[in-house]
Amino acid sequence: MIQGSGRCHYHPERTGLGICVECRHVVCRECTTQFEGINRCASCLEKRLKALEGPSERREWTVGNVLLALVGAAVVYGGVLLLSRMASGL
């Protein structure tokens, strides 16, 4: 086992069964889960599953989103004005 410890990282009273490949903690039978053929602890398995799900949907508009939308609209509006002035000058 790792660093001479044969005890579960999450349950020190239990004997370790294996080592999580992500965090390298010794884990007991109840704490280890095989996913993709590899032993992971519950904490690392949760992180791995979230990573596989991809980013969550964003539904909220933050101040930064609003400012970016306003700046984008101003740039488009300015471009339209510039093109209309150039077209009328021809």
Side-chain angles (χ1 to χ4, degrees):
M1 296 288 155
I2 234 172
Q3 298 173 352
S5 171
R7 296 300 196 188
C8 176
H9 176 76
Y10 301 99
H11 304 102
E13 70 281 0
R14 297 181 187 168
T15 302
L17 176 69
I19 300 173
C20 174
V21 297
E22 300 287 332
C23 65
R24 309 300 296 163
H25 288 142
V26 176
V27 290
C28 65
R29 173 168 288 166
E30 288 79 19
C31 291
T32 188
T33 303
Q34 272 205 355
F35 179 70
E36 298 175 335
I38 299 172
N39 288 331
R40 289 186 172 87
C41 68
S43 176
C44 292
L45 178 61
E46 183 179 341
K47 290 176 193 172
R48 179 73 178 145
L49 291 174
K50 282 185 180 180
L52 290 175
E53 288 175 2
S56 60
E57 259 186 61
R58 292 187 61 164
R59 296 177 184 254
E60 297 178 12
W61 280 77
T62 62
V63 174
N65 296 123
V66 173
L67 289 175
L68 186 60
L70 290 173
V71 167
V75 168
V76 169
Y77 182 70
V80 168
L81 284 178
L82 182 63
L83 287 175
S84 66
R85 287 185 182 170
M86 289 176 61
S88 66
L90 292 175

